Amino acid sequence: MQKSNYFPTIVLPQILLLLLFLIPSMATVDSSSEAKVHIVYTEKPEGQEPEDYHIRTLTSVLGSEEAAKGALVYSYKHAASGFSAKLTPHQVSELSKQPGVLQVVPSQTLHLHSGPGIGRMNV
């Protein structure tokens, strides 16, 4: 009796095709858990440096001062009290519950589009 050669010629390509579809789907990152920059408005810290207060607030959610310093993008000290940081949706939720945190909003980049304006009007 002769052995069948159907296994390598039929099954192997099907396995390779299956892997071709499975591997990319396993490598994709869930964008809903991706860290994005948020602006965190806080109460004005009394008797302490604003940046130290912001790092302590972040540390309470992120677990370590190193992680807080890594996530901190900018510390606002003059016009507003707060900071911007890279946060996941879960971290935003937890940070919103912290004492002294007034509001957490996603950072947005706005572009100005000028129209004809007075100086450009052809009258």
Side-chain angles (χ1 to χ4, degrees):
M1 215 181 210
Q2 221 176 9
K3 286 187 175 181
S4 174
N5 287 333
Y6 290 117
F7 181 78
T9 56
I10 294 175
V11 177
L12 188 60
Q14 289 177 350
I15 291 172
L16 290 175
L17 188 60
L18 180 66
L19 288 175
L20 180 69
F21 288 106
L22 286 179
I23 290 174
S25 67
M26 291 186 298
T28 58
V29 176
D30 182 13
S31 63
S32 65
S33 64
E34 190 176 308
K36 296 181 182 173
V37 177
H38 286 74
I39 299 173
V40 181
Y41 295 97
T42 63
E43 294 176 350
K44 189 172 183 176
E46 298 296 327
Q48 54 187 318
E49 286 296 315
E51 190 169 348
D52 294 338
Y53 175 73
H54 300 153
I55 289 172
R56 265 199 306 283
T57 303
L58 267 175
T59 299
S60 67
V61 171
L62 301 181
S64 74
E65 190 173 317
E66 288 176 23
K69 287 180 178 179
L72 186 69
V73 175
Y74 189 79
S75 189
Y76 302 99
K77 302 170 188 152
H78 302 291
S81 179
F83 58 92
S84 57
K86 291 183 180 180
L87 303 166
T88 65
H90 176 70
Q91 291 167 340
V92 168
S93 174
E94 291 301 310
L95 192 60
S96 298
K97 300 173 189 173
Q98 296 301 310
V101 174
L102 304 174
Q103 186 179 21
V104 182
V105 295
S107 179
Q108 297 179 2
T109 301
L110 303 175
H111 300 279
L112 297 177
H113 298 281
S114 62
I118 294 175
R120 300 167 115 194
M121 289 179 66
N122 294 329
V123 183

